[in-house]
């Protein structure tokens, strides 16, 4: 399953990933500086949410593309079931 993120979708995902990257760098700095545990955990939770949102955006785009591919091709019921199982596994990996 190849992911084709177009224009706006790609920019949104990349922005979320960059935000998470910055937040993770901030968490590392905070730990190195001996900052308050509550502040570190709050920043880490924000980074985790940013990563989750990026993952869900990628999966949502993949679902849309896969459904379009399935509807427009001669896939068998078995192909569809395999694709559904793969997408379900991806979705659950973020849960």
């Amino acid at each position: 399953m190849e992911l084709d993120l177009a224009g706006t979708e790609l920019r949104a995902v990349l922005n979320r990933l960059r935000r998470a990257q910055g937040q993770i760098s901030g968490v590392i700095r905070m730990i190195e500086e001996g900052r308050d545990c509550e502040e570190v955990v709050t920043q880490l939770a924000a980074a985790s949410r940013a990563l989750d949102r990026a993952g869900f955006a990628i999966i949502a785009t993949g679902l849309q593309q896969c459904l379009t591919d399935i509807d427009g091709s001669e896939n068998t019921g078995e192909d569809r079931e395999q694709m559904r199982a793969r997408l379900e596994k991806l979705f659950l990996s973020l849960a």
Side-chain angles (χ1 to χ4, degrees):
M1 174 174 49
E2 189 173 313
L3 182 62
D4 179 27
L5 289 174
T8 305
E9 295 164 338
L10 178 60
R11 282 192 299 276
V13 168
L14 290 175
N15 285 340
R16 288 184 191 276
L17 291 173
R18 286 186 183 106
R19 186 175 315 125
Q21 183 179 33
Q23 290 167 324
I24 291 169
S25 293
V27 169
I28 292 169
R29 259 191 320 280
M30 293 170 78
I31 291 171
E32 290 172 343
E33 295 169 357
R35 299 276 293 271
D36 178 67
C37 177
E38 187 175 340
E39 292 176 47
V40 172
V41 171
T42 299
Q43 190 67 17
L44 189 57
S48 179
R49 283 190 303 275
L51 288 172
D52 286 346
R53 288 183 180 129
F56 286 128
I58 290 169
I59 289 173
T61 301
L63 281 170
Q64 183 178 10
Q65 289 173 5
C66 289
L67 291 175
T68 300
D69 291 348
I70 287 171
D71 288 342
S73 70
E74 296 295 324
N75 289 325
T76 66
E78 186 175 322
D79 291 337
R80 291 178 185 169
E81 183 58 29
Q82 288 175 350
M83 182 62 70
R84 188 204 61 76
R86 288 173 58 198
L87 290 169
E88 181 179 343
K89 183 177 178 182
L90 282 174
F91 181 78
L92 290 175
S93 72
L94 292 175

